[in-house]
Each structure stands twice: as C-alpha cells, then as structure tokens.
Amino acid sequence: MLENKKLNPKFWTRRSFLATIPLLFTNCSSTSNAKEKASFQHPAHNIKKETMRIRGINYDTGTEYVKGDNTRLIWNQTDIKRDMKVIKNELFCNSVNLYGSSIDRLIETANIALGAGLSVSIQARLIDGNKKQMLDYLKLTAIESEKLKSKGDVILNTGCELTLFTSGFLPGKTFLDRMQNLIWSWPALAIFYSSWIDHLTEMSDVSRSFFSGPITYSAGVWEDVDWNKFDYIGVNLYRDRDNEFSYVSDLKNLQSIGKPVIITEFGCCTFEGAERLGGGGWLVVDHSKIPPEIKEGYKRNEKVQAEHLAELLDLYYKENIHGCFIFDFLESGNVYNPENPKFDLDMASYGIVKALPPSSKDRLHWEKKLAFQTVAERYQSFSLGSLHPKS
C-alpha cells in the first residue's frame, strides 16, 4: 500500500505508483491492435526508424506534484548552462527530455539546450488539471515550442501518464487518489476510458494545429494508446523483478506497431536490490518520518544502478529501439549524505548525478555517480555505430 496519508507530498515522485500496480500490464496495453494501427504516418514526418538515433536523458525543470511544492527550488541559468554542457559533451547525449510545470522554465531550458547542440523533447506537466485545462496548457506549450524549431530539432511530448495526472479519466480528486483507485479499478478500465480515446485525438489535433514538428506521448503501460495520432511511440518502461522475463517481448510488441519507439523513462535507484524494484525504488524512503529517512536494511551501491542502465542500453541497441531517455539526470530533493546512511536520500534517487547539500541559496551542486561514466561510454559507442565501448 502507498500509505498516502503518511507521505510528504513535497518528496513524492510518480515512480512510487509503479511499484503498486498489479503486474497484469506487462504485455504493454499501449500495443493493442498494433497491426491495425501501423499504416498511419503524419505526412509532415516520414521518420526513419534507426537504432538508438535518440540518446537522451530526462531533466526536471521543476514539477509541482502538489501546488506550491516545486521539485526544483534553486533555479538559475548558470546551473542550466553547466548541466546542458555536461549532458552534451561529457555524457554524450544528443537529446534531452525537458519536463516540468512551468512553460517559461521549459522554454528557457530548451533554448539553452539547443544552443549547446542538443535536440529537445518538451513535456509540460500540469498536475491535477482537468481535461480542458490540460489541452489549453498543451496549446501554450505547442505555440512556444514551435518558435524554437528554427534553432534545432524539437519534439513535442504531449504529456506523461495523463490518466493519472489529469482529472476526469479515473475516479479521484488528486493524482494520489487516482493511483489508489487504479489499483482496484483496473478490471474496469474500459469503462473509465470512455473519453480517453477522444482526448488523445484532441491532444493530437491541438498539437498539430500549433506545432509543425513531430509529436509523441509518454504512456504508462496500463494506458491504451492509438499511436496513429503520434509520430513516435513513447512508453515509460521500467524493468523490475516482475517483468524482467517479459521485458524483451514487451519491446518487440512495441516495435511491431511499425513506428519508431522511444523509451521515455527507465532506470533504477542506487542501493543493493534497486534493480529488482525498478520504478518502486523510491519506496525505501520512510516519508512518515520528519525528516524523511531510509528504511532499515538498505545499503548504498552505485554499481547496481550503473549495471542496470548498461544492460538496458545494450538491450535497446540490440533490439533496434529508436531512442531512449534515462530517468533521471538529477533529483535535487534527494540529497547525498555520506556521513549518515540513514539520511542518504540519494540512495532513492534515479539521478545519475547526486545532489549535494546546498552551499548557497543560488547554486545547485552535484557530483557524478558511477552510472554517469557507464552511460557516457555506451552513448559514445552508440554514436560511433558500435554496441560496446572500447576498453
């Protein structure tokens, strides 16, 4: 159980939900009717499928999962420029998925990323807005994203797991309510999805009306998506102990639809056993305590995260996946504490860099984890057309 009444929403992330869904979605609902949906291609974007064409990472510009609580409190261009330069020149990414609740921050960061030589995917997250508010927000994002196209390659990501983060599809006033309700209501998803397909069409129409570039969506594995509406297939696909044996077939099912596939989120945390929890690694933090602390029995291990990412990146290359965005670059709220493992919240971070205690109110400091170098080696080798990095 999530025990949401005990959670401190300020520290909540969407991954906690992934550990609680009954694992009956591992065949990826997002691939339903794949053969029937393979023929459509938006005339403006005849995208060729290529192996690991997009080598990216997610970057949080500040998300308000609860109104007034922003996941990125320290914000300045100096930090953003540093991060984009590192992502391009040291991590060897060629793309970054920018997500967050402020369109202004998204566009500001996108300008910096494009200036650094990265392509960008832009994903606005309006948490708990209704369907109309979400479409209005998407329209504004599309308008601003269109203005960026003269500066580089831009993808509009129309949303993330909207059956949870947008009200009106599943019962529940807040996304936390909808998460809990999905656990018991999954057998009746078809009833709750009566307006879902129509909304996907509206999302596509709004995007196409104001943005002339390619579009995608970050689907949860329980969401039935008609990929006719999009140029790229996008799925948040974490691997854990429950889907590790079906994971390759899940990838093949997505590939069978006939469009380029982007894994829009994947990764694990930084402790022994984290690779078995996948999207549920966050649950090792006890948020009922003030301040939050790591539960007993967990030991920091950066090698676990590094090996997990290496295995999945190699798998995506072998399976001819078009691209991926690692989750995540940095989780600034989960601060590294080497002196006291009990409060080393970076253990529960998916970031490949670890947030350091703030030395000032103006700058955000971090250090690379072991996974950083592992990812850099893979991405550099992929850019050269080979699977494994040179020893």
Side-chain angles (χ1 to χ4, degrees), residues 287-323:
H287 286 286
S288 67
K289 302 290 183 61
I290 301 176
E293 60 186 52
I294 299 294
K295 297 175 183 177
E296 292 185 8
Y298 294 97
K299 182 179 179 181
R300 183 179 184 87
N301 190 328
E302 293 190 13
K303 186 178 179 182
V304 166
Q305 183 190 42
E307 291 180 345
H308 183 79
L309 290 175
E311 289 174 8
L312 290 182
L313 288 172
D314 287 353
L315 177 61
Y316 298 159
Y317 189 94
K318 290 178 181 178
E319 294 297 326
N320 299 315
I321 298 299
H322 187 80

Side-chain angles (χ1 to χ4, degrees), residues 57-83:
I57 196 161
N58 280 276
Y59 190 88
D60 185 10
T61 62
T63 306
E64 290 193 6
Y65 291 105
V66 175
K67 190 173 180 61
D69 281 324
N70 196 303
T71 57
R72 188 73 179 263
L73 298 179
I74 298 175
W75 185 259
N76 62 75
Q77 285 202 0
T78 302
D79 286 345
I80 307 306
K81 289 178 180 178
R82 173 203 61 196
D83 294 350

Side-chain angles (χ1 to χ4, degrees), residues 54-337:
I54 296 174
R55 302 178 294 277
I57 196 161
N58 280 276
Y59 190 88
D60 185 10
T61 62
T63 306
E64 290 193 6
Y65 291 105
V66 175
K67 190 173 180 61
D69 281 324
N70 196 303
T71 57
R72 188 73 179 263
L73 298 179
I74 298 175
W75 185 259
N76 62 75
Q77 285 202 0
T78 302
D79 286 345
I80 307 306
K81 289 178 180 178
R82 173 203 61 196
D83 294 350
M84 294 304 124
K85 183 178 180 180
V86 167
I87 288 171
K88 175 66 167 63
N89 298 329
E90 298 180 35
L91 195 57
F92 298 104
C93 291
N94 64 0
S95 189
V96 59
N97 181 60
L98 307 173
Y99 69 94
S101 298
S102 167
I103 296 175
D104 288 342
R105 282 192 180 187
L106 287 170
I107 301 305
E108 179 184 2
T109 308
N111 270 301
I112 294 172
L114 291 167
L118 293 160
S119 66
V120 298
S121 171
I122 300 175
Q123 180 195 93
R125 294 190 179 183
L126 181 65
I127 308 300
D128 287 337
N130 60 38
K131 288 180 280 189
K132 182 181 183 306
Q133 290 170 331
M134 180 269 158
L135 290 172
D136 290 342
Y137 214 59
L138 177 59
K139 174 182 175 180
L140 293 175
T141 307
I143 291 172
E144 294 303 317
S145 298
E146 177 67 19
K147 299 175 184 178
L148 298 171
K149 287 178 67 271
S150 62
K151 301 179 181 181
D153 293 332
V154 180
I155 296 173
L156 179 62
N157 187 315
T158 57
C160 174
E161 300 174 2
L162 292 179
T163 52
L164 296 179
F165 289 127
T166 298
S167 65
F169 300 113
L170 294 173
K173 183 178 180 180
T174 70
F175 73 91
L176 290 171
D177 296 333
R178 291 187 288 276
M179 282 186 209
Q180 287 186 320
N181 290 336
L182 181 54
I183 295 171
W184 61 259
S185 65
W186 67 264
L189 286 182
I191 298 174
F192 297 127
Y193 280 1
S194 60
S195 62
W196 172 240
I197 300 302
D198 290 340
H199 188 74
L200 287 175
T201 300
E202 291 182 88
M203 284 168 51
S204 177
D205 290 345
V206 167
S207 300
R208 303 290 191 197
S209 296
F210 298 97
F211 180 74
S212 60
I215 66 173
T216 189
Y217 172 68
S218 293
V221 294
W222 62 92
E223 294 179 331
D224 187 10
V225 177
D226 180 357
W227 292 110
N228 284 348
K229 313 296 182 184
F230 303 92
D231 299 300
Y232 293 104
I233 297 166
V235 179
N236 297 340
L237 194 59
Y238 291 83
R239 191 182 72 176
D240 56 36
R241 61 191 172 196
D242 297 294
N243 71 353
E244 59 181 329
F245 297 111
S246 65
Y247 198 87
V248 174
S249 63
D250 292 342
L251 293 175
K252 292 182 182 298
N253 287 339
L254 292 168
Q255 290 275 55
S256 72
I257 299 175
K259 287 190 175 186
V261 174
I262 302 174
I263 308 302
T264 44
E265 287 186 21
F266 68 103
C268 80
C269 296
T270 318
F271 57 87
E272 294 180 1
E275 81 284 5
R276 304 281 288 162
L277 296 178
W282 171 88
L283 293 175
V284 303
V285 178
D286 185 350
H287 286 286
S288 67
K289 302 290 183 61
I290 301 176
E293 60 186 52
I294 299 294
K295 297 175 183 177
E296 292 185 8
Y298 294 97
K299 182 179 179 181
R300 183 179 184 87
N301 190 328
E302 293 190 13
K303 186 178 179 182
V304 166
Q305 183 190 42
E307 291 180 345
H308 183 79
L309 290 175
E311 289 174 8
L312 290 182
L313 288 172
D314 287 353
L315 177 61
Y316 298 159
Y317 189 94
K318 290 178 181 178
E319 294 297 326
N320 299 315
I321 298 299
H322 187 80
C324 64
F325 292 102
I326 293 167
F327 196 87
D328 203 357
F329 181 73
L330 169 70
E331 292 189 27
S332 59
N334 285 334
V335 177
Y336 177 52
N337 188 335

Side-chain angles (χ1 to χ4, degrees), residues 365-389:
H365 299 284
W366 50 258
E367 291 180 353
K368 297 175 183 177
K369 295 184 189 177
L370 184 61
F372 187 102
Q373 184 61 31
T374 299
V375 172
E377 291 172 353
R378 288 306 190 282
Y379 276 172
Q380 185 178 34
S381 69
F382 295 166
S383 69
L384 298 174
S386 62
L387 174 58
H388 292 295

